[in-house]
Amino acid sequence: MSALIEAVRAGRTDETLRLLGELTDAERRARLPELKALRKEMRTAEWDRRRSVGAALHAAGAACHTGAAAAASWLSAADLRWRQASPELLLKALEGRDSGWLRDVAQRLAQRPVSAEVPYELMSGLVHRAGCEVPVTDAYVAGWVRYIGGPWGHGSVVERLRREPDLVPLVIGLFELTDLREVRWMFGEGPGSWQNALAELTRVGSLDRKVVLDACVARLLRGGGPTDHRVFLPLLVRLELTRAEEHERAADWTALARDAASPVAAHAQSVLAALALDGELTSRQLAEASEGLLFRSEKKLVRAQLVLLGKVLTRDPDAASALLPAAAQAFGHEDTQVQERALRLVERHAKKLTSEDLRTELSRAAEQLTPALRTRAERTLGIAVTDPAPAVYEEVLPPAPEPVRLAEAPETVVELAEEVGALLASGGDVATFERALDGLVRHAYGDSDALLDALGPVIERRWWATTEPGHWRYAETYFSPMHHHLQGAQDALDLLLATLSGRVRTSTLHSAVGRHEPTGHGCVHRGLASAFDARIREVAYRLRTEPLPLLLSTPTWGTGLLEPDELVERLDTYRRLDARVSEADFAQALLRVRRSDRTACLAAVERAAALGTREGERLARWLAAGDPALPLARRRTSGTRIVVELGELPELQEDFPADFRILGRPTSAFGQSRYCSHWSPEIRGHWLAVLPERRELVAARLVHDLSQAAEYDTRGAAGALPLLAESGGEAGECVHLCLAYGLGARHPEDRLAAVDALLVLAARGQLDTARLGADLGQLVRRGAVKPLRLAESARTAAATGANATIWEMLRHALPVLLADLATAGPAGSAGRSVPARGLGDLLAVAAECAERSGARGELPHLSQTAGRRGSSRLVSQARRLHDALAEQTAARSAA
């Protein structure tokens, strides 16, 4: 071992630098194999050892690489960050290199992603030693921002910036940063902020004002991350543009008002308003800005623009030909109050409609108004408006999803290893997991050595492959059934890979097999989780002791359903091989086998009985028993929420393993443990595959999760709703209650998943709109679901073309809420819960769906709300819905 390697292994950095200085380039290159071997050794070494060696190893490797690309790669390597050398130490190690080499290394380091966290001091030191221009890349600029704003410098931000020799290119690079997320936290507020510093340097001439202004506006026009405006908009405000500078950029303000983030659009609108009121915008420029702005969803911006148009029209009557058609663009806004405001504006200036072309243009725009406003426009504006509604409404629903048949397990171990690696890296659905699981079982039975060789690269990358004993993520500890519940496909595959590679003891695997039924109160998910766990853990134990030839429970379809004839064929294979059936695997197969198709069941009964095995006879009895039964359900209330309790289901307790019998036990809304270790949303899809023909049993255990998604800040629970809609069995009380909570979930992605589920159920003819609407009415009334969130979900679903479906749902939800309003009176004197906030939005969606679908009949308590005084959104939308229903009734009477 050379003296250099001894110094590095001992962590003696000063000695390492001295020895490096004594070596020629050839001698340095000769030390590289030993340094690379030490680097590989350190990847699995204990933390204290890695910490002591890290800095010396980092510096020595950088100095011994004579190629710029290799040196840059070593300097920025992820596995050397845990104890990398300081920039000063690295710069000393690289002393004596020519400027061209240093420039090349600096540029390569600057091209690394920001996440590589290459120290700015290192890149800057290399640049200054090379005497080259600064590389204005994301990594370099982000590092500079952190360096200037960090606590280790002297003086304020503006003082540090004054001392920066490369200030201009780096500031321009700041405006061109691809992503600000890595440095967003550096840009605060107040006198010491970056924005104030840049504005001050611009004021004193250190930065060219026009360059900074153009760069700031260009960045706002470009957009970027969702919070970029919090950095650049305050800077733009602090620059205090003159009226001439604002007028020069009129086209930019128009573009920002139309397309930028809401705060930026509001600022641009205020600039445009000031220019317009001072007469510095032509009517054509104002109309162009209005046409895009009036289509924005922010009602505050739209209302402000309509007010501005009204002021300009009052001052300048000649602008009517340009501005009235622009104001009429708001006739197509989704908010009917905005439509009415725009119509009132046009009505106030109706005398200026002197041109026939202008009248024609307004007639076309008025076609977008609601029927009641359309009729009003014809009367007040004296124009003829064509009714755009079709004579016969046709509901548009997405096609019902077709079940997907599982492909055969991968034929070779190489293909299987690739699929397992992909599953572990990015996840997958039930079908992908079940296919990989069956492949692992089959190939372990055929040639376990070849399988382990193929899986070697996958196993090496797993977190448990290098964790030291005693750590909680050590495979033996992590996969112990006493400490951990499997959270889905990745956990299950990790357990099987750890088993195949010998990382889990046989005694640990055996402790999870054939356990007595768990006692005490668990969480509501306990039965589903125990069934999933039991099957995977028994497969793991059999991989070690007595491999299975194949899995009986591998589903035929992606939902988890298993065809009876396929299960009979697999049992016959076990009989011919004289293989012992896994108890949990067979139990899961029984729960998955299709029993709703009585013809297929009866055909399979005789074949199963003829096998002459215990499992064949059990399958024959199971198939002959008839359609899957459902337990009695009872509703209970818990605070503002509605939950469900299930009664006992005896058929799931007879001849089933202990871990599966829990599925047949009663579920209680109260008295169960509040602690739940089933935190991963991924596992819910696999729970549905445990009982693919009894989704009500799964839904009853998900109601609590979905209620929390509506009331609290939990995220992701509604992701299972589309799978619930595609699953089999009755879509009853529990399924609809889950859907109701999902439609009122707090987070938009959860509400979108609920909308998908609603449309799937409707397309399959399984949506009970009366039941769903009644549930929603009660949940809104109790406060578990917010009306505004429900309105957003309903609007999203209706936008797909499902107007009649959403109307039928709201037709049963609204009377409960309107009854409270009617009983409480204007001040809520009856003490009822009156969810007025958001109810106007809900009525707006209902009115639009009624108008589009030609809804019939009267809505209880609607007339009382529509007859109230005032013009609030609640009252105006109630009148709109009342008029729409009355118009349909009148049309039928006339016919």
Side-chain angles (χ1 to χ4, degrees), residues 376-405:
R376 171 177 156 182
E378 288 181 322
R379 184 180 68 255
T380 58
L381 301 180
I383 58 177
V385 184
T386 304
D387 187 353
V392 179
Y393 172 76
E394 183 177 351
E395 183 83 342
V396 178
L397 291 172
E402 295 292 333
V404 179
R405 181 179 283 271

PDB file of all heavy atoms in Angstrom, residues 376-405:
ATOM      1  N   ARG A 376     -83.783  38.287 -21.670  1.00  0.00           N
ATOM      2  CA  ARG A 376     -83.671  39.687 -21.237  1.00  0.00           C
ATOM      3  C   ARG A 376     -82.881  40.504 -22.242  1.00  0.00           C
ATOM      4  O   ARG A 376     -83.243  41.660 -22.530  1.00  0.00           O
ATOM      5  CB  ARG A 376     -83.011  39.720 -19.864  1.00  0.00           C
ATOM      6  CG  ARG A 376     -82.634  41.106 -19.363  1.00  0.00           C
ATOM      7  CD  ARG A 376     -82.050  40.999 -17.970  1.00  0.00           C
ATOM      8  NE  ARG A 376     -81.179  42.111 -17.640  1.00  0.00           N
ATOM      9  CZ  ARG A 376     -80.514  42.238 -16.496  1.00  0.00           C
ATOM     10  NH1 ARG A 376     -80.629  41.298 -15.568  1.00  0.00           N
ATOM     11  NH2 ARG A 376     -79.735  43.288 -16.266  1.00  0.00           N
ATOM     12  N   ALA A 377     -81.802  39.948 -22.784  1.00  0.00           N
ATOM     13  CA  ALA A 377     -80.994  40.673 -23.763  1.00  0.00           C
ATOM     14  C   ALA A 377     -81.805  40.994 -25.013  1.00  0.00           C
ATOM     15  O   ALA A 377     -81.676  42.090 -25.590  1.00  0.00           O
ATOM     16  CB  ALA A 377     -79.760  39.858 -24.124  1.00  0.00           C
ATOM     17  N   GLU A 378     -82.637  40.056 -25.437  1.00  0.00           N
ATOM     18  CA  GLU A 378     -83.482  40.314 -26.610  1.00  0.00           C
ATOM     19  C   GLU A 378     -84.414  41.497 -26.356  1.00  0.00           C
ATOM     20  O   GLU A 378     -84.636  42.348 -27.239  1.00  0.00           O
ATOM     21  CB  GLU A 378     -84.301  39.070 -26.941  1.00  0.00           C
ATOM     22  CG  GLU A 378     -83.479  37.932 -27.528  1.00  0.00           C
ATOM     23  CD  GLU A 378     -84.331  36.722 -27.873  1.00  0.00           C
ATOM     24  OE1 GLU A 378     -85.269  36.434 -27.105  1.00  0.00           O
ATOM     25  OE2 GLU A 378     -84.058  36.093 -28.898  1.00  0.00           O
ATOM     26  N   ARG A 379     -84.927  41.579 -25.118  1.00  0.00           N
ATOM     27  CA  ARG A 379     -85.898  42.625 -24.793  1.00  0.00           C
ATOM     28  C   ARG A 379     -85.223  43.975 -24.596  1.00  0.00           C
ATOM     29  O   ARG A 379     -85.687  44.991 -25.116  1.00  0.00           O
ATOM     30  CB  ARG A 379     -86.645  42.232 -23.523  1.00  0.00           C
ATOM     31  CG  ARG A 379     -87.753  43.203 -23.126  1.00  0.00           C
ATOM     32  CD  ARG A 379     -88.468  42.763 -21.861  1.00  0.00           C
ATOM     33  NE  ARG A 379     -87.617  42.854 -20.674  1.00  0.00           N
ATOM     34  CZ  ARG A 379     -87.075  41.824 -20.067  1.00  0.00           C
ATOM     35  NH1 ARG A 379     -87.284  40.600 -20.516  1.00  0.00           N
ATOM     36  NH2 ARG A 379     -86.307  41.984 -18.992  1.00  0.00           N
ATOM     37  N   THR A 380     -84.117  44.014 -23.882  1.00  0.00           N
ATOM     38  CA  THR A 380     -83.506  45.298 -23.523  1.00  0.00           C
ATOM     39  C   THR A 380     -82.589  45.857 -24.610  1.00  0.00           C
ATOM     40  O   THR A 380     -82.420  47.068 -24.713  1.00  0.00           O
ATOM     41  CB  THR A 380     -82.694  45.156 -22.228  1.00  0.00           C
ATOM     42  OG1 THR A 380     -81.693  44.141 -22.405  1.00  0.00           O
ATOM     43  CG2 THR A 380     -83.596  44.763 -21.069  1.00  0.00           C
ATOM     44  N   LEU A 381     -81.979  44.957 -25.380  1.00  0.00           N
ATOM     45  CA  LEU A 381     -81.047  45.416 -26.415  1.00  0.00           C
ATOM     46  C   LEU A 381     -81.680  45.481 -27.790  1.00  0.00           C
ATOM     47  O   LEU A 381     -81.078  46.014 -28.732  1.00  0.00           O
ATOM     48  CB  LEU A 381     -79.811  44.509 -26.456  1.00  0.00           C
ATOM     49  CG  LEU A 381     -78.991  44.416 -25.161  1.00  0.00           C
ATOM     50  CD1 LEU A 381     -77.807  43.480 -25.355  1.00  0.00           C
ATOM     51  CD2 LEU A 381     -78.510  45.786 -24.716  1.00  0.00           C
ATOM     52  N   GLY A 382     -82.869  44.901 -27.898  1.00  0.00           N
ATOM     53  CA  GLY A 382     -83.545  44.924 -29.190  1.00  0.00           C
ATOM     54  C   GLY A 382     -82.827  44.104 -30.248  1.00  0.00           C
ATOM     55  O   GLY A 382     -82.750  44.502 -31.419  1.00  0.00           O
ATOM     56  N   ILE A 383     -82.277  42.960 -29.854  1.00  0.00           N
ATOM     57  CA  ILE A 383     -81.569  42.094 -30.793  1.00  0.00           C
ATOM     58  C   ILE A 383     -82.232  40.725 -30.810  1.00  0.00           C
ATOM     59  O   ILE A 383     -82.951  40.346 -29.884  1.00  0.00           O
ATOM     60  CB  ILE A 383     -80.081  41.931 -30.396  1.00  0.00           C
ATOM     61  CG1 ILE A 383     -79.967  41.354 -28.977  1.00  0.00           C
ATOM     62  CG2 ILE A 383     -79.345  43.252 -30.517  1.00  0.00           C
ATOM     63  CD1 ILE A 383     -78.538  41.105 -28.537  1.00  0.00           C
ATOM     64  N   ALA A 384     -82.020  40.001 -31.873  1.00  0.00           N
ATOM     65  CA  ALA A 384     -82.546  38.642 -31.995  1.00  0.00           C
ATOM     66  C   ALA A 384     -81.423  37.665 -31.671  1.00  0.00           C
ATOM     67  O   ALA A 384     -80.345  37.713 -32.273  1.00  0.00           O
ATOM     68  CB  ALA A 384     -83.072  38.397 -33.407  1.00  0.00           C
ATOM     69  N   VAL A 385     -81.711  36.781 -30.713  1.00  0.00           N
ATOM     70  CA  VAL A 385     -80.691  35.823 -30.264  1.00  0.00           C
ATOM     71  C   VAL A 385     -81.152  34.415 -30.597  1.00  0.00           C
ATOM     72  O   VAL A 385     -82.257  34.005 -30.229  1.00  0.00           O
ATOM     73  CB  VAL A 385     -80.444  35.944 -28.746  1.00  0.00           C
ATOM     74  CG1 VAL A 385     -79.319  35.007 -28.321  1.00  0.00           C
ATOM     75  CG2 VAL A 385     -80.101  37.379 -28.369  1.00  0.00           C
ATOM     76  N   THR A 386     -80.322  33.682 -31.289  1.00  0.00           N
ATOM     77  CA  THR A 386     -80.637  32.301 -31.636  1.00  0.00           C
ATOM     78  C   THR A 386     -80.396  31.402 -30.433  1.00  0.00           C
ATOM     79  O   THR A 386     -79.360  31.510 -29.768  1.00  0.00           O
ATOM     80  CB  THR A 386     -79.764  31.815 -32.810  1.00  0.00           C
ATOM     81  OG1 THR A 386     -79.939  32.715 -33.901  1.00  0.00           O
ATOM     82  CG2 THR A 386     -80.146  30.405 -33.220  1.00  0.00           C
ATOM     83  N   ASP A 387     -81.354  30.529 -30.146  1.00  0.00           N
ATOM     84  CA  ASP A 387     -81.201  29.586 -29.038  1.00  0.00           C
ATOM     85  C   ASP A 387     -80.232  28.486 -29.464  1.00  0.00           C
ATOM     86  O   ASP A 387     -80.540  27.716 -30.390  1.00  0.00           O
ATOM     87  CB  ASP A 387     -82.554  28.983 -28.675  1.00  0.00           C
ATOM     88  CG  ASP A 387     -82.460  28.115 -27.414  1.00  0.00           C
ATOM     89  OD1 ASP A 387     -81.337  27.897 -26.946  1.00  0.00           O
ATOM     90  OD2 ASP A 387     -83.512  27.666 -26.932  1.00  0.00           O
ATOM     91  N   PRO A 388     -79.052  28.398 -28.813  1.00  0.00           N
ATOM     92  CA  PRO A 388     -78.058  27.406 -29.251  1.00  0.00           C
ATOM     93  C   PRO A 388     -78.340  26.007 -28.741  1.00  0.00           C
ATOM     94  O   PRO A 388     -77.648  25.071 -29.100  1.00  0.00           O
ATOM     95  CB  PRO A 388     -76.767  27.942 -28.647  1.00  0.00           C
ATOM     96  CG  PRO A 388     -77.210  28.629 -27.396  1.00  0.00           C
ATOM     97  CD  PRO A 388     -78.571  29.194 -27.680  1.00  0.00           C
ATOM     98  N   ALA A 389     -79.324  25.863 -27.867  1.00  0.00           N
ATOM     99  CA  ALA A 389     -79.559  24.556 -27.252  1.00  0.00           C
ATOM    100  C   ALA A 389     -80.118  23.576 -28.269  1.00  0.00           C
ATOM    101  O   ALA A 389     -80.970  23.931 -29.099  1.00  0.00           O
ATOM    102  CB  ALA A 389     -80.535  24.695 -26.085  1.00  0.00           C
ATOM    103  N   PRO A 390     -79.688  22.331 -28.273  1.00  0.00           N
ATOM    104  CA  PRO A 390     -80.231  21.340 -29.204  1.00  0.00           C
ATOM    105  C   PRO A 390     -81.680  21.016 -28.856  1.00  0.00           C
ATOM    106  O   PRO A 390     -82.121  21.191 -27.725  1.00  0.00           O
ATOM    107  CB  PRO A 390     -79.323  20.127 -28.979  1.00  0.00           C
ATOM    108  CG  PRO A 390     -78.787  20.298 -27.597  1.00  0.00           C
ATOM    109  CD  PRO A 390     -78.665  21.766 -27.388  1.00  0.00           C
ATOM    110  N   ALA A 391     -82.416  20.548 -29.836  1.00  0.00           N
ATOM    111  CA  ALA A 391     -83.823  20.221 -29.619  1.00  0.00           C
ATOM    112  C   ALA A 391     -83.972  19.084 -28.627  1.00  0.00           C
ATOM    113  O   ALA A 391     -84.867  19.088 -27.790  1.00  0.00           O
ATOM    114  CB  ALA A 391     -84.478  19.856 -30.955  1.00  0.00           C
ATOM    115  N   VAL A 392     -83.116  18.073 -28.718  1.00  0.00           N
ATOM    116  CA  VAL A 392     -83.179  16.926 -27.829  1.00  0.00           C
ATOM    117  C   VAL A 392     -81.826  16.790 -27.136  1.00  0.00           C
ATOM    118  O   VAL A 392     -80.793  16.692 -27.796  1.00  0.00           O
ATOM    119  CB  VAL A 392     -83.520  15.627 -28.592  1.00  0.00           C
ATOM    120  CG1 VAL A 392     -83.543  14.450 -27.635  1.00  0.00           C
ATOM    121  CG2 VAL A 392     -84.846  15.772 -29.313  1.00  0.00           C
ATOM    122  N   TYR A 393     -81.847  16.803 -25.818  1.00  0.00           N
ATOM    123  CA  TYR A 393     -80.599  16.682 -25.063  1.00  0.00           C
ATOM    124  C   TYR A 393     -80.117  15.237 -25.084  1.00  0.00           C
ATOM    125  O   TYR A 393     -80.898  14.292 -24.980  1.00  0.00           O
ATOM    126  CB  TYR A 393     -80.796  17.127 -23.615  1.00  0.00           C
ATOM    127  CG  TYR A 393     -79.586  16.849 -22.749  1.00  0.00           C
ATOM    128  CD1 TYR A 393     -78.454  17.644 -22.834  1.00  0.00           C
ATOM    129  CD2 TYR A 393     -79.564  15.767 -21.876  1.00  0.00           C
ATOM    130  CE1 TYR A 393     -77.344  17.389 -22.064  1.00  0.00           C
ATOM    131  CE2 TYR A 393     -78.450  15.495 -21.098  1.00  0.00           C
ATOM    132  CZ  TYR A 393     -77.336  16.316 -21.195  1.00  0.00           C
ATOM    133  OH  TYR A 393     -76.233  16.047 -20.443  1.00  0.00           O
ATOM    134  N   GLU A 394     -78.810  15.086 -25.227  1.00  0.00           N
ATOM    135  CA  GLU A 394     -78.211  13.753 -25.213  1.00  0.00           C
ATOM    136  C   GLU A 394     -77.087  13.722 -24.178  1.00  0.00           C
ATOM    137  O   GLU A 394     -76.139  14.501 -24.252  1.00  0.00           O
ATOM    138  CB  GLU A 394     -77.659  13.399 -26.593  1.00  0.00           C
ATOM    139  CG  GLU A 394     -77.092  11.990 -26.680  1.00  0.00           C
ATOM    140  CD  GLU A 394     -76.616  11.636 -28.075  1.00  0.00           C
ATOM    141  OE1 GLU A 394     -76.876  12.425 -29.003  1.00  0.00           O
ATOM    142  OE2 GLU A 394     -75.985  10.581 -28.235  1.00  0.00           O
ATOM    143  N   GLU A 395     -77.229  12.845 -23.197  1.00  0.00           N
ATOM    144  CA  GLU A 395     -76.221  12.712 -22.142  1.00  0.00           C
ATOM    145  C   GLU A 395     -74.938  12.105 -22.704  1.00  0.00           C
ATOM    146  O   GLU A 395     -74.975  11.159 -23.497  1.00  0.00           O
ATOM    147  CB  GLU A 395     -76.770  11.827 -21.021  1.00  0.00           C
ATOM    148  CG  GLU A 395     -75.844  11.685 -19.835  1.00  0.00           C
ATOM    149  CD  GLU A 395     -75.947  12.848 -18.863  1.00  0.00           C
ATOM    150  OE1 GLU A 395     -76.466  13.913 -19.273  1.00  0.00           O
ATOM    151  OE2 GLU A 395     -75.525  12.703 -17.721  1.00  0.00           O
ATOM    152  N   VAL A 396     -73.802  12.674 -22.295  1.00  0.00           N
ATOM    153  CA  VAL A 396     -72.501  12.171 -22.742  1.00  0.00           C
ATOM    154  C   VAL A 396     -71.765  11.617 -21.532  1.00  0.00           C
ATOM    155  O   VAL A 396     -71.424  12.362 -20.603  1.00  0.00           O
ATOM    156  CB  VAL A 396     -71.668  13.284 -23.413  1.00  0.00           C
ATOM    157  CG1 VAL A 396     -70.307  12.737 -23.824  1.00  0.00           C
ATOM    158  CG2 VAL A 396     -72.404  13.848 -24.607  1.00  0.00           C
ATOM    159  N   LEU A 397     -71.526  10.328 -21.530  1.00  0.00           N
ATOM    160  CA  LEU A 397     -70.778   9.680 -20.462  1.00  0.00           C
ATOM    161  C   LEU A 397     -69.582   8.960 -21.064  1.00  0.00           C
ATOM    162  O   LEU A 397     -69.648   8.510 -22.225  1.00  0.00           O
ATOM    163  CB  LEU A 397     -71.660   8.676 -19.713  1.00  0.00           C
ATOM    164  CG  LEU A 397     -72.794   9.257 -18.869  1.00  0.00           C
ATOM    165  CD1 LEU A 397     -73.697   8.131 -18.365  1.00  0.00           C
ATOM    166  CD2 LEU A 397     -72.243  10.059 -17.697  1.00  0.00           C
ATOM    167  N   PRO A 398     -68.511   8.837 -20.327  1.00  0.00           N
ATOM    168  CA  PRO A 398     -67.361   8.092 -20.860  1.00  0.00           C
ATOM    169  C   PRO A 398     -67.722   6.625 -21.026  1.00  0.00           C
ATOM    170  O   PRO A 398     -68.610   6.115 -20.332  1.00  0.00           O
ATOM    171  CB  PRO A 398     -66.290   8.281 -19.779  1.00  0.00           C
ATOM    172  CG  PRO A 398     -67.065   8.520 -18.525  1.00  0.00           C
ATOM    173  CD  PRO A 398     -68.285   9.278 -18.937  1.00  0.00           C
ATOM    174  N   PRO A 399     -67.070   5.928 -21.944  1.00  0.00           N
ATOM    175  CA  PRO A 399     -67.352   4.491 -22.090  1.00  0.00           C
ATOM    176  C   PRO A 399     -66.983   3.743 -20.815  1.00  0.00           C
ATOM    177  O   PRO A 399     -65.998   4.070 -20.142  1.00  0.00           O
ATOM    178  CB  PRO A 399     -66.460   4.064 -23.265  1.00  0.00           C
ATOM    179  CG  PRO A 399     -65.391   5.111 -23.344  1.00  0.00           C
ATOM    180  CD  PRO A 399     -66.026   6.385 -22.875  1.00  0.00           C
ATOM    181  N   ALA A 400     -67.793   2.775 -20.460  1.00  0.00           N
ATOM    182  CA  ALA A 400     -67.506   1.967 -19.274  1.00  0.00           C
ATOM    183  C   ALA A 400     -66.182   1.239 -19.471  1.00  0.00           C
ATOM    184  O   ALA A 400     -65.942   0.651 -20.528  1.00  0.00           O
ATOM    185  CB  ALA A 400     -68.626   0.972 -19.030  1.00  0.00           C
ATOM    186  N   PRO A 401     -65.299   1.262 -18.481  1.00  0.00           N
ATOM    187  CA  PRO A 401     -63.994   0.600 -18.644  1.00  0.00           C
ATOM    188  C   PRO A 401     -64.145  -0.902 -18.819  1.00  0.00           C
ATOM    189  O   PRO A 401     -64.938  -1.542 -18.122  1.00  0.00           O
ATOM    190  CB  PRO A 401     -63.258   0.936 -17.341  1.00  0.00           C
ATOM    191  CG  PRO A 401     -64.329   1.296 -16.363  1.00  0.00           C
ATOM    192  CD  PRO A 401     -65.447   1.889 -17.153  1.00  0.00           C
ATOM    193  N   GLU A 402     -63.411  -1.445 -19.756  1.00  0.00           N
ATOM    194  CA  GLU A 402     -63.432  -2.886 -20.003  1.00  0.00           C
ATOM    195  C   GLU A 402     -62.407  -3.568 -19.096  1.00  0.00           C
ATOM    196  O   GLU A 402     -61.304  -3.044 -18.892  1.00  0.00           O
ATOM    197  CB  GLU A 402     -63.086  -3.183 -21.462  1.00  0.00           C
ATOM    198  CG  GLU A 402     -64.105  -2.665 -22.463  1.00  0.00           C
ATOM    199  CD  GLU A 402     -65.424  -3.407 -22.374  1.00  0.00           C
ATOM    200  OE1 GLU A 402     -65.407  -4.599 -21.957  1.00  0.00           O
ATOM    201  OE2 GLU A 402     -66.469  -2.806 -22.695  1.00  0.00           O
ATOM    202  N   PRO A 403     -62.743  -4.719 -18.535  1.00  0.00           N
ATOM    203  CA  PRO A 403     -61.763  -5.441 -17.702  1.00  0.00           C
ATOM    204  C   PRO A 403     -60.567  -5.888 -18.530  1.00  0.00           C
ATOM    205  O   PRO A 403     -60.706  -6.242 -19.703  1.00  0.00           O
ATOM    206  CB  PRO A 403     -62.558  -6.635 -17.168  1.00  0.00           C
ATOM    207  CG  PRO A 403     -63.693  -6.804 -18.124  1.00  0.00           C
ATOM    208  CD  PRO A 403     -64.031  -5.441 -18.632  1.00  0.00           C
ATOM    209  N   VAL A 404     -59.400  -5.844 -17.913  1.00  0.00           N
ATOM    210  CA  VAL A 404     -58.153  -6.211 -18.605  1.00  0.00           C
ATOM    211  C   VAL A 404     -57.678  -7.555 -18.073  1.00  0.00           C
ATOM    212  O   VAL A 404     -57.548  -7.749 -16.864  1.00  0.00           O
ATOM    213  CB  VAL A 404     -57.069  -5.131 -18.381  1.00  0.00           C
ATOM    214  CG1 VAL A 404     -55.775  -5.537 -19.072  1.00  0.00           C
ATOM    215  CG2 VAL A 404     -57.561  -3.786 -18.885  1.00  0.00           C
ATOM    216  N   ARG A 405     -57.437  -8.488 -18.995  1.00  0.00           N
ATOM    217  CA  ARG A 405     -56.969  -9.820 -18.595  1.00  0.00           C
ATOM    218  C   ARG A 405     -55.475  -9.772 -18.309  1.00  0.00           C
ATOM    219  O   ARG A 405     -54.704  -9.134 -19.039  1.00  0.00           O
ATOM    220  CB  ARG A 405     -57.259 -10.835 -19.708  1.00  0.00           C
ATOM    221  CG  ARG A 405     -56.827 -12.255 -19.374  1.00  0.00           C
ATOM    222  CD  ARG A 405     -57.163 -13.199 -20.518  1.00  0.00           C
ATOM    223  NE  ARG A 405     -58.578 -13.535 -20.527  1.00  0.00           N
ATOM    224  CZ  ARG A 405     -59.116 -14.556 -19.859  1.00  0.00           C
ATOM    225  NH1 ARG A 405     -58.343 -15.325 -19.099  1.00  0.00           N
ATOM    226  NH2 ARG A 405     -60.394 -14.797 -19.938  1.00  0.00           N
TER     227      ARG A 405
END
